[in-house]
Amino acid sequence: MTSTSARQSCVVGTGHAHGKATLVGEHTAVYGLPAIAIPLPGLTVDAVARFAAESPPPGRNTMRHILDREYLTCRFTCDPDDSTTGVQFGPAIAVRAALRRWMIDHDSVEVSVGSSIPPARGLGSSAALAAAAVRAVANLLGESLEDRVLFELVQCGKQVAHGRASGVDAATVIAPEPVWFEADIAHPIVSGLDAALVLADSGVGGNTRQAVEVARNVLGSRRADARGLLAKAAAITECAVTALEAGQAAALGCQMTEFHAFLHKLGVSTARLDRLVSAALRAGAHGAKLTGAGLGGCMLALTEPDNAAAVSAALADAGAQRTWTLPLGGWLR
Ligand code: MEV
């Protein structure tokens, strides 16, 4: 057992992570098939960790959070000894796993997190909160933290909070570039795509656990063609990465729209999301689809940069609660 006093520790530790958007491959990733996801560096999480003045009582790991439209702040205290399931909050579970890994056996830590990622919108909020929190605790303790270890710790929290998590969120919220995620491994994608992505919030929160269940039931009820459906979805993802690497926005957009049709068949789209997708396409987007688990949350549209304002306006007219425009050429390597 290691005592924190023997370590090179700081008074406070800090950590950072960002949001993510899945371009194609949500749901199929749960079955080990590939997905393409991009970091959203404009949506960020910053965490600060410090040793807690006192441990919470057993089973009472504390968590407070304040949520408003713009910002989520939360503060939680983790006791590594607490084996009860008091708080099923992914970031707290990830931090507890980190403390155990580093054999911090008697110090509780308090983590404060501020996030500009809207929660329950398929933009990686819970994975990014966990990643920033674990990074802050590593920094507090003077522990070096490899990306692979961070990925596994974030996954601990995701698995408990969301059930079956593929790992695409955990990998992308710590990645500096777009990733091809397959069978637990994230590979960087190199692309010079010159396009814009318009993200729109449908205004309704999604529920990943429920959406994964819905998709599984639909696939289960279509046993005869489930394998074919998944194979077709994987082929769309393959075509999408070829288009992304070649910088072909129109071809990538087509694959995104096709993937939306697949997600619709899986039962995870909603009338609101379908309406937003249609509005973006009518406004001249190359392609559009829901992003993340669905049953609410966000959609995204790929468009020429000089058409982004028109797409964004069309989405607002079609009921989007909020839109964000990302110039892709700015950060793709
Ligand atoms: C990822 O954002 C959404 C799902 O694909 C679940 C997962 O991959 O863990 C539905």
Side-chain angles (χ1 to χ4, degrees):
M1 298 285 184
T2 312
S3 153
T4 46
S5 56
R7 291 168 188 268
Q8 195 68 34
S9 57
C10 308
V11 179
V12 296
T14 57
H16 180 86
H18 48 251
K20 66 92 211 177
T22 307
L23 277 191
V24 282
E26 48 274 272
H27 286 284
T28 52
V30 173
Y31 301 93
L33 296 173
I36 304 169
I38 58 170
L40 300 176
L43 296 180
T44 56
V45 180
D46 289 291
V48 175
R50 48 176 64 82
F51 293 109
E54 52 190 51
S55 296
R60 301 288 297 277
N61 281 324
T62 59
M63 207 269 280
R64 270 175 285 154
H65 71 259
I66 305 161
L67 175 61
D68 68 27
R69 237 188 105 189
E70 295 302 317
Y71 212 69
L72 170 92
T73 55
C74 67
R75 182 184 301 180
F76 53 91
T77 308
C78 278
D79 178 351
D81 280 344
D82 189 354
S83 56
T84 60
T85 53
V87 177
Q88 292 300 302
F89 177 55
I93 292 162
V95 166
R96 215 151 49 221
L99 293 174
R100 292 207 185 104
R101 180 182 179 98
W102 296 322
M103 293 189 285
I104 304 300
D105 55 345
H106 55 266
D107 286 304
S108 294
V109 294
E110 184 182 286
V111 186
S112 304
V113 191
S115 168
S116 62
I117 308 172
R121 294 297 194 269
L123 301 181
S125 167
S126 65
L129 286 171
V134 170
R135 277 179 165 158
V137 172
N139 184 230
L140 175 72
L141 299 173
E143 290 284 350
S144 68
L145 182 60
E146 285 170 15
D147 279 354
R148 185 69 205 173
V149 173
L150 178 57
F151 168 82
E152 282 163 11
L153 292 168
V154 174
Q155 272 293 81
C156 286
K158 290 284 293 174
Q159 302 284 17
V160 176
H162 294 299
R164 208 162 155 180
S166 66
V168 64
D169 291 15
T172 315
V173 298
I174 59 172
E177 65 271 292
V179 299
W180 170 266
F181 185 83
E182 185 169 15
D184 242 17
I185 310 281
H187 306 272
I189 297 174
V190 177
S191 167
L193 185 72
D194 182 19
L197 209 55
V198 183
L199 272 163
D201 185 347
S202 70
V204 177
N207 180 327
T208 302
R209 186 182 276 276
Q210 194 189 344
V212 168
E213 191 73 20
V214 165
R216 193 180 38 217
N217 289 341
V218 168
L219 289 170
S221 69
R222 298 178 57 158
R223 261 180 216 289
D225 63 347
R227 213 179 273 266
L229 262 181
L230 288 174
K232 184 154 182 268
I236 296 173
T237 308
E238 293 278 353
C239 291
V241 79
T242 304
L244 177 58
E245 284 170 341
Q248 295 166 343
L252 176 59
C254 282
Q255 302 307 324
M256 288 166 57
T257 308
E258 273 214 48
F259 207 88
H260 181 77
F262 163 76
L263 293 170
H264 183 92
K265 278 189 201 151
L266 281 192
V268 296
S269 190
T270 63
R272 263 176 203 248
L273 286 165
D274 289 345
R275 195 164 57 239
L276 293 174
V277 166
S278 301
L281 294 174
R282 273 199 309 276
H286 291 306
K289 63 180 279 291
L290 73 85
T291 186
L295 296 184
C298 287
M299 56 76 67
L300 45 79
L302 185 75
T303 184
E304 290 301 311
D306 60 7
N307 191 41
V311 170
S312 176
L315 288 168
D317 282 351
Q321 196 180 70
R322 184 176 177 183
T323 63
W324 300 261
T325 298
L326 316 171
L328 292 187
W331 53 264
L332 290 178
R333 287 203 273 178

